């Protein structure tokens, strides 16, 4: 069965063949090796000679499956190969169209900048960098072969990027310097280091995956905090808030995540991060019984699937005074709603567009004018 971001399993093999033929015909395998370096071990990556081998390695690692094509969608956007999307849609009607507006989730900011860097270099630029970095010259065939080699020799790394950018400036490659400077920040370096030491790859069999969801949902149901979970799930715009509001069964809420492509046998991070944020401690034990190597979040710095805005909303839920709930509803023109549960209140505010990323500034101003300073600070935590 396909998810909203997947295809039927029977079409997946044909999709891999189509993608492989597309990139091989254009001689872009080395570019793909640069792109997917964070998803396939170098020892395996270096021996790959065809795109189909790379796709199979990504599938084996759990990063790519018929149920979740997000990696392919992000790759199409990042490489600007939208003609591949057209070809896939023509051959496989079930192939979901790429959403150009959604942010990248499978590639770090650092990796995205390396792709832009590779695309901006002319052959003369590659020759200049070769002369600057190598004695004797390597005579690279293209920018991708150069990036592969310089990453392997650790000339290009997050921690050495400042020195590399300085060298590009010395040889007057202004466009390349601009691209790499735009993405090279302490946050980018931190994100990349997290990716390099990412949670170990796994891909649960379907039966074990479903059993994990059953076990987690049962424990969560016993623990409570279901409305808090609903608030968290509003972070994913592919799930309608009305659908979230009407569900009171945790397993059914997880099914909404599965349908949106945010939860799969190879990616249960949203559940782990949600449990960490909600303080549902027993979930960690359940996950580690199924995936012993799983690295459960230990701090807020290790939460990456849930946006900063959503984390601010959760902080607001923790800090909002119960005595202020009625006042907030009145100020928002929602006095007809009688709500004493802070998380249900937040859901009502979101449903009525009173607290959203677009209206947050107005909402915060209203709180400040009414002396709710702790609530204001909570919404500006991250």
């Amino acid at each position: 069965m396909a998810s909203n971001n997947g295809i039927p399993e029977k079409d997946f093999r044909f999709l891999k063949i189509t993608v492989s033929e597309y990139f091989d015909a254009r001689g872009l395998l080395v570019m793909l090796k640069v792109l997917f370096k964070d998803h396939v071990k170098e020892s395996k990556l270096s021996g790959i000679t065809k795109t189909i081998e790379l796709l199979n390695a990504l599938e084996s690692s759990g990063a790519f499956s018929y149920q979740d094509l997000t990696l392919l969608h992000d790759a199409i956007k990042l490489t600007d190969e939208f003609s591949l999307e057209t070809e896939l849609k023509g051959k496989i009607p079930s192939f979901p169209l790429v959403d150009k507006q959604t942010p990248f989730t499978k590639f770090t900011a650092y990796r995205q900048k390396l792709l832009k860097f590779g695309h901006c270099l002319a052959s003369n630029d590659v020759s200049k960098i070769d002369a600057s970095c190598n004695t004797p010259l390597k005579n690279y065939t293209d920018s991708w072969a150069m990036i592969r080699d310089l990453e392997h020799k650790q000339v290009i790394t997050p921690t050495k990027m400042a020195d590399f950018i300085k060298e590009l400036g010395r040889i007057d490659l202004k466009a390349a310097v601009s691209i790499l400077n735009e993405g090279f920040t302490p946050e980018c370096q931190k994100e990349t280091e997290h990716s390099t030491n990412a949670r170990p790859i796994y891909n649960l069999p379907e039966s074990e995956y479903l059993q994990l969801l059953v076990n987690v949902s049962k424990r969560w149901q016993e623990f409570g905090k279901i409305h808090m979970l609903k608030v968290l799930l509003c972070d994913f715009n592919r799930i309608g808030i009305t659908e979230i509001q009407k569900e009171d069964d945790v397993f059914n809420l997880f099914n909404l995540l599965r349908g949106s492509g945010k939860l799969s046998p190879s990616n249960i991070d949203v559940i782990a991060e949600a449990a960490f944020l909600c303080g549902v401690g027993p979930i960690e034990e359940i996950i580690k019984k199924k995936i012993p190597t799983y690295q459960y979040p230990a701090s807020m710095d290790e939460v990456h699937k849930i946006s900063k805005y959503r984390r601010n909303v959760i902080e607001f839920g923790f800090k909002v005074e119960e005595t202020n709930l009625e006042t907030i509803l009145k100020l928002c023109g929602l006095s007809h709603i009688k709500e004493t549960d802070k998380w249900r209140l937040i859901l009502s505010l979101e449903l009525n567009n009173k607290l959203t990323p677009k209206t947050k500034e107005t909402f915060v101003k209203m709180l400040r004018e009414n002396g709710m300073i702790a609530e204001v600070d909570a919404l500006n935590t991250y």
Side-chain angles (χ1 to χ4, degrees), residues 2-6 67-70 73 96 99 102 105-106 209 232-240 243-244 252-264 267 270 305:
S3 71
N4 289 354
N5 196 31
Q67 296 168 310
D68 186 359
L69 300 177
T70 306
H73 280 189
D99 186 345
T102 57
T105 60
K106 298 297 184 180
Y209 167 58
L232 276 172
L233 295 192
C234 290
D235 208 31
F236 305 104
N237 55 17
R238 291 186 183 180
I239 307 175
E243 291 181 275
I244 292 171
N252 289 340
L253 288 171
F254 289 164
N255 269 339
L256 294 177
L257 275 176
R258 293 173 67 199
S260 73
K262 299 298 182 182
L263 187 62
S264 71
N267 186 358
V270 171
K305 301 293 184 182

Side-chain angles (χ1 to χ4, degrees), residues 4 19 82 113 168 280 326 345-346:
N4 289 354
V19 172
F82 285 98
K113 290 303 169 185
L168 295 180
V280 189
E326 185 178 353
L345 165 74
I346 292 172

Side-chain angles (χ1 to χ4, degrees), residues 28-44:
L28 294 175
L29 176 60
V30 182
M31 179 194 73
L32 294 180
K33 288 187 176 184
V34 172
L35 179 63
F36 294 120
K37 181 177 172 61
D38 296 334
H39 295 279
V40 179
K41 290 182 179 180
E42 180 58 38
S43 57
K44 192 171 186 92

Side-chain angles (χ1 to χ4, degrees), residues 202-248:
Y202 55 90
N203 191 20
L204 292 171
E206 185 71 11
S207 59
E208 292 188 22
Y209 167 58
L210 291 174
Q211 185 65 61
L212 174 64
L213 296 187
V214 168
N215 293 345
V216 170
S217 60
K218 279 183 178 178
R219 191 67 188 92
W220 206 309
Q221 206 83 31
E222 294 167 0
F223 205 83
K225 298 192 176 182
I226 295 172
H227 294 297
M228 186 179 177
L229 175 62
K230 290 182 181 184
V231 170
L232 276 172
L233 295 192
C234 290
D235 208 31
F236 305 104
N237 55 17
R238 291 186 183 180
I239 307 175
I241 187 170
T242 53
E243 291 181 275
I244 292 171
Q245 274 205 320
K246 69 184 181 182
E247 282 296 348
D248 285 317

Side-chain angles (χ1 to χ4, degrees), residues 150-169:
L150 295 182
E151 278 206 284
H152 177 69
K153 295 194 299 186
Q154 296 195 323
V155 173
I156 300 177
T157 71
T159 55
K160 295 181 180 178
M161 184 57 76
D163 290 337
F164 183 65
I165 291 172
K166 183 178 179 181
E167 190 62 30
L168 295 180

Side-chain angles (χ1 to χ4, degrees), residues 175-187:
V177 168
S178 177
I179 284 172
L180 291 178
N181 267 330
E182 180 186 350
F184 184 67
T185 64
E187 289 78 15

